[in-house]
Amino acid sequence: MTIKLGIIGAGRVGRLHANTLTTRIPGAKTLVVADIFKDAAKSAAEDYGIPDFTTDPSELIGSGDVDAIVICSSTDTHCRFIIEAARAGKQIFCEKPIAFDLAEIDEALAAVDEAGVQLQIGFNRRFDANHARVKQAIERGEIGEAHTMTIISRDPAPPPIDYIKVSGGLMMDMMIHDFDLSRFLLGEVEEIYALGDVKVDPAIGEAGDIDTAKVMLRFESGAFGSIENSRQAVYGYDQRVEVFGSKGAATTGNWHPNAVTISDAMSVRRDLPLHFFVERYFESYVSEMIAFVDAIANGKTVPVVGNDGRVPVVMAMAGMRSLRENRPVRLDEAEV
Ligand SMILES: NC(=O)c1ccc[n+]([C@@H]2O[C@H](COP(=O)([O-])OP(=O)(O)OC[C@H]3O[C@@H](n4cnc5c(N)ncnc54)[C@H](O)[C@@H]3O)[C@@H](O)[C@H]2O)c1
């Protein structure tokens, strides 16, 4: 069975999904791509061999030929398109975060439930081979009882200030992936304590955001962990995870373009890590789409459901409140 898809949003991530869907997912056929900017829609259609494009997402959502909608437009549009697609009976994949506001998210998730369709959230890092193996080590008991978790996640360079202004802030935009990864690995978090500041670019501070943060997490299991984010690591995309337990540790490092070390009389060195998320996580974007299409085609539950999109937003809210109030904040405080 072939699943016929339409993509909304032909920016960075929309193009990435257009690429994977048209080249790597045999059970999927992308029929149409929509973007409010005609040139963006047109060039994505041309570049990835998608037969049709439009500037009107409603056209694509209303099309009887389309089984599933892939929402890759800016975050402030997600809930609107989820609700419209659910009411049209379409299966839905939506990029993270669902929205910045819980009432809006709840309305979208209710529309999905009411329509009886499926919604998968784009937390691609769960599908990364390294992260999946860490999770497997925990589940198999290879490291015993998990005691602590450390996530280091640093970007090679900050995004443009215009992006920062509409991003929802570092915790909602960037750390949200690490919040998701935390609960994917060790289950629910009950309390968060955040430190954050502007260390990289004062313009980020002027835009009302931070660029550097360290967040402590207390898990319901009794384990605790930390996440460190920076918008700029001068040596490139730095993505490391460790879970330490009673019988050992599961540790993942960065991915490099090659496995060569160069040794001379002064040092032993290697090339910089893969530059950014498209390079580092490409295969995880393929795997999440394979899982989505497989679930839709075979009547399985999608692997990252609506509530998996909601909880990291609550975590980001708790983190931001902790930063403002300079104290640990429980997740149930952030809910109200
Ligand atoms: N999973 C990931 O790793 C990952 C990475 C980056 C971004 N994202 C998320 O993906 C989404 C898009 O991010 P991006 O970096 O691709 O942004 P982007 O600005 O590059 O692209 C967004 C596109 O959506 C289009 N758009 C905006 N409003 C629209 C509307 N009403 N109808 C149709 N098209 C519309 C814009 O014209 C633009 O082309 C965001 O929610 C972001 O958080 C996810």
Side-chain angles (χ1 to χ4, degrees):
M1 178 183 182
T2 300
I3 299 296
K4 287 170 265 159
L5 300 113
I7 300 174
I8 301 177
R12 281 189 310 176
V13 166
R15 290 181 63 88
L16 175 58
H17 288 311
N19 182 3
T20 62
L21 282 165
T22 53
T23 59
R24 296 284 299 275
I25 324 280
K29 179 148 180 56
T30 305
L31 299 182
V32 50
V33 53
D35 198 291
I36 36 168
F37 289 110
K38 187 177 173 191
D39 286 351
K42 185 167 183 274
S43 74
E46 282 169 4
D47 292 350
Y48 301 108
I50 298 169
D52 199 5
F53 67 89
T54 173
T55 54
D56 179 8
S58 297
E59 202 180 289
L60 164 166
I61 293 171
S63 161
D65 294 335
V66 170
D67 305 309
I69 308 290
V70 177
I71 302 171
C72 307
S73 43
S74 30
T75 302
D76 59 329
T77 65
H78 291 177
C79 283
R80 173 156 52 97
F81 290 138
I82 289 174
I83 292 169
E84 197 180 332
R87 288 184 182 154
K90 307 297 181 192
Q91 310 296 338
I92 307 161
F93 178 99
C94 181
E95 266 307 335
K96 50 52 63 177
I98 304 180
F100 306 132
D101 177 77
L102 288 182
E104 218 187 317
I105 292 175
D106 289 341
E107 197 189 336
L109 298 190
V112 167
D113 279 349
E114 232 166 78
V117 296
Q118 296 220 60
L119 166 66
Q120 179 169 329
I121 306 300
F123 281 124
N124 57 296
R125 291 190 196 173
R126 293 178 176 220
F127 298 85
D128 176 70
N130 279 359
H131 300 156
R133 182 66 182 94
V134 173
K135 166 112 170 146
Q136 188 184 51
I138 297 164
E139 285 178 347
R140 283 181 176 170
E142 290 175 79
I143 62 166
E145 184 193 338
H147 291 169
T148 62
M149 179 209 73
T150 307
I151 295 178
I152 291 173
S153 175
R154 304 182 181 122
D155 284 354
I161 294 297
D162 282 348
Y163 179 92
I164 296 267
K165 284 181 185 161
V166 294
S167 69
L170 179 128
M171 289 192 200
M172 208 49 102
D173 178 54
M174 179 175 172
M175 196 175 282
I176 196 123
H177 277 292
D178 307 301
F179 287 139
D180 175 63
L181 191 56
S182 307
R183 61 185 291 274
F184 174 65
L185 293 175
L186 288 189
E188 300 302 340
V189 165
E190 57 184 20
E191 189 176 62
I192 292 183
Y193 176 53
L195 296 173
D197 205 349
V198 178
K199 304 278 190 202
V200 173
D201 182 355
I204 293 176
E206 283 155 26
D209 200 3
I210 53 171
D211 54 35
T212 307
K214 184 109 184 167
V215 166
M216 304 296 297
L217 310 170
R218 185 186 299 281
F219 291 89
E220 285 179 0
S221 69
F224 39 88
S226 71
I227 300 170
E228 185 174 322
N229 277 182
S230 169
R231 286 283 192 189
Q232 180 171 283
V234 292
Y235 48 85
Y237 200 37
D238 193 2
Q239 297 288 297
R240 290 176 277 155
V241 176
E242 180 181 86
V243 179
F244 176 78
S246 57
K247 291 187 184 162
T251 308
T252 76
N254 286 315
W255 281 11
H256 295 258
N258 59 64
V260 178
T261 54
I262 309 223
S263 309
D264 64 18
M266 297 300 290
S267 67
V268 177
R269 60 188 182 274
R270 65 181 307 180
D271 292 341
L272 296 175
L274 288 175
H275 182 64
F276 208 1
F277 67 90
V278 175
E279 296 85 7
R280 166 65 182 81
Y281 285 118
F282 188 79
E283 290 303 321
S284 74
Y285 293 107
V286 176
S287 300
E288 71 175 351
M289 274 305 169
I290 288 175
F292 176 65
V293 169
D294 175 51
I296 299 308
N298 298 303
K300 301 178 192 164
T301 302
V302 293
V304 191
V305 297
N307 191 52
D308 294 318
R310 186 185 191 278
V311 177
V313 172
V314 178
M315 294 170 81
M317 287 175 160
M320 291 191 282
R321 185 153 168 191
S322 169
L323 196 60
R324 273 195 313 275
E325 299 181 6
N326 192 27
R327 65 175 180 92
V329 171
R330 294 180 53 84
L331 261 58
D332 50 23
E333 291 181 72
E335 281 271 5
V336 288

